[in-house]
Amino acid sequence: MEIQFTLNKKQVTAEVGPDTVLLGVLRDLGCKSVKCGCETTNCGLCTVWIDGKSRLSCSVLAASVGGHEITTLEGVEEEAAEFGRFLAAEGGEQCGFCSPGFIMNVLAMKRELEDPDLEEIKEYLAGNLCRCTGYMSQLRAIQKYMAAQKEKDGKEALA
C-alpha cells in the first residue's frame, strides 16, 4: 500500500507492506541516523518523533504513519549539533552508535520538561542504552545543556 507522510518537513510517499516497520522505511528514505540495535524496543537507537513525540520506529507499523509528521535526527541537525557540543565536551559521545536516538530523546525532553532534576532526566532517558559508558558524562552534558538553554531562553524573553 502507498502511504504519504511528512518526513523532516517534506512530503514523502512510500510503498509499504502490512507488516513493514517504520524503521526500515525511514532508512530506505535516506535517514541513516535511525538505527536498529535490538529489534525488541529496548535500546532507543531507532527513536524518532511522530507528531512531536518520541517513538521507537522499530515498533511502529509504517502503515500507521500516513498523514503524520515524522522527524529524525536529520530534521533537527542544528539543535542536535548544539547538544552534541555539550556531549563531546563532557566525553559523553563515546563510539557514537547510540547517539542519534539518545539525542532525539534529549531534545524531546527539553521540549516536554521544564527544568528537570537529575532523577527526572534519568527516568526520561531510561529506554536509551549505551554500551560504552557509565552515563555520568552524558548526564553532565544534559544538565549543562539544559541550563544553557534555560539561560538562552531567558535572554530571548528579555529581548
Side-chain angles (χ1 to χ4, degrees):
M1 82 178 69
E2 186 178 276
I3 60 167
Q4 294 182 359
F5 58 97
T6 304
L7 175 59
N8 299 325
K9 301 189 183 333
K10 296 177 185 165
Q11 276 297 121
V12 296
T13 301
E15 189 67 34
V16 301
D19 61 346
T20 303
V21 292
L22 181 58
L23 168 78
V25 172
L26 294 174
R27 288 192 58 84
D28 289 346
L29 290 170
C31 297
K32 300 303 183 191
S33 70
V34 184
K35 299 174 185 169
C36 180
C38 68
E39 295 182 330
T40 59
T41 70
N42 287 312
C43 71
L45 268 68
C46 66
T47 301
V48 299
W49 298 343
I50 299 178
D51 298 330
K53 298 288 183 189
S54 287
R55 297 283 304 276
L56 299 173
S57 62
C58 74
S59 68
V60 175
L61 290 175
S64 71
V65 302
H68 292 276
E69 182 177 345
I70 312 300
T71 306
T72 68
L73 191 68
E74 289 85 356
V76 290
E77 284 184 40
E78 273 185 45
E79 196 175 358
E82 185 176 358
F83 172 65
R85 287 189 285 280
F86 284 84
L87 201 56
E90 293 299 323
E93 76 281 9
Q94 303 294 319
C95 80
F97 190 69
C98 68
S99 296
F102 177 74
I103 291 170
M104 289 299 290
N105 266 334
V106 169
L107 299 181
M109 179 178 57
K110 184 189 84 155
R111 288 169 168 74
E112 291 179 30
L113 302 181
E114 187 173 318
D115 202 20
D117 63 24
L118 186 58
E119 288 308 309
E120 289 173 307
I121 292 169
K122 287 179 180 179
E123 183 177 327
Y124 197 95
L125 299 173
N128 288 93
L129 298 181
C130 175
R131 291 165 177 89
C132 295
T133 184
Y135 300 103
M136 293 312 298
S137 56
Q138 293 174 339
L139 292 172
R140 284 192 307 271
I142 293 167
Q143 289 178 306
K144 289 178 179 181
Y145 172 71
M146 297 293 268
Q149 292 300 303
K150 185 176 181 180
E151 184 178 321
K152 181 178 167 183
D153 292 345
K155 287 180 181 177
E156 288 175 1
L158 294 174

